[in-house]
């Protein structure tokens, strides 16, 4: 009984944190600090994300649509790169509005700095009911994964 209250408190805090992470990709966009930023980072993160998505979802059979096509800003390099990468890997990826009875899975994403640190990146990609998340670390012009992929189904 003595350990039950801390365990319940831990579970409550953990669920709030995971809920915050899940909600972070509701607004599509690239939210990263300009300082220390490189387009090579986006290319690396995009390639890594598309590779992971391809291992979980069958490219030739999966249709994906950007949830809010009006939000794909021309300056949103990650969004543009992600959509192009998905298409190049065989996914049917569109920013248009599909028919009501279509089988397109909605896509939302966010790329942001972790704790406003320009060298730490967090990506969240939601496709249908699946969520892909990963952390990255950049230092001296190189970027590497800082965590394993987390895939929630």
């Amino acid at each position: 009984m003595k350990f039950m209250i801390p365990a319940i408190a831990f579970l409550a805090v953990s669920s709030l944190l995971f809920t915050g992470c899940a909600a972070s990709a509701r607004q599509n966009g690239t939210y990263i600090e300009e300082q220390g930023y490189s387009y090579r980072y986006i290319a690396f993160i995009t390639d890594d994300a598309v590779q992971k998505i391809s291992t979980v979802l069958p490219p030739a059979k999966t249709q994906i649509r950007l949830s809010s096509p009006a939000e794909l800003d021309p300056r949103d390099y990650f969004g543009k790169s992600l959509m192009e990468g998905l298409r190049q890997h065989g996914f049917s990826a569109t920013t248009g509005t599909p028919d009501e009875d279509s089988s397109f899975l909605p896509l939302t994403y966010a790329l942001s700095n972790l704790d406003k640190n320009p060298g730490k990146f967090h990506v969240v990609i939601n496709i249908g009911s699946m969520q892909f998340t990963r952390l990255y670390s950049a230092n001296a012009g190189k970027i590497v994964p800082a965590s394993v992929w987390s895939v929630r189904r």
Side-chain angles (χ1 to χ4, degrees):
M1 188 71 170
K2 185 193 307 185
F3 296 105
M4 191 170 213
I5 293 175
I8 292 172
F10 173 76
L11 289 173
V13 170
S14 296
S15 68
L16 287 174
L17 289 174
F18 285 122
T19 301
C21 291
S24 64
R26 297 289 182 228
Q27 290 290 332
N28 294 333
T30 305
Y31 307 100
I32 55 179
E33 300 292 323
E34 295 292 327
Q35 176 186 359
Y37 163 71
S38 169
Y39 295 108
R40 288 181 295 147
Y41 296 170
I42 286 184
F44 180 87
I45 293 170
T46 300
D47 289 344
D48 189 40
V50 171
Q51 288 292 339
K52 182 59 180 180
I53 292 167
S54 296
T55 65
V56 178
L57 297 170
K61 297 179 181 179
T62 305
Q63 298 176 320
I64 300 169
R65 71 170 168 80
L66 189 62
S67 285
S68 302
E71 293 181 26
L72 190 56
D73 189 299
R75 297 168 293 172
D76 183 1
Y77 298 111
F78 179 69
K80 290 183 351 186
S81 181
L82 179 62
M83 292 299 286
E84 185 60 32
L86 289 167
R87 288 181 188 121
Q88 288 177 355
H89 275 78
F91 289 94
S92 175
T94 184
T95 56
T97 305
D99 296 335
E100 289 180 25
D101 62 340
S102 81
S103 59
F104 280 79
L105 298 173
L107 165 73
T108 59
Y109 64 90
L111 175 63
S112 60
N113 291 109
L114 188 61
D115 297 329
K116 303 217 185 277
N117 183 332
K120 306 286 184 198
F121 301 94
H122 178 232
V123 65
V124 178
I125 301 168
N126 292 311
I127 299 176
S129 62
M130 303 184 87
Q131 183 179 65
F132 301 83
T133 61
R134 192 170 203 181
L135 302 176
Y136 296 88
S137 180
N139 192 5
K142 294 187 178 191
I143 187 165
V144 295
S147 72
V148 296
W149 275 104
S150 171
V151 179
R152 186 183 67 171
R153 297 173 192 248

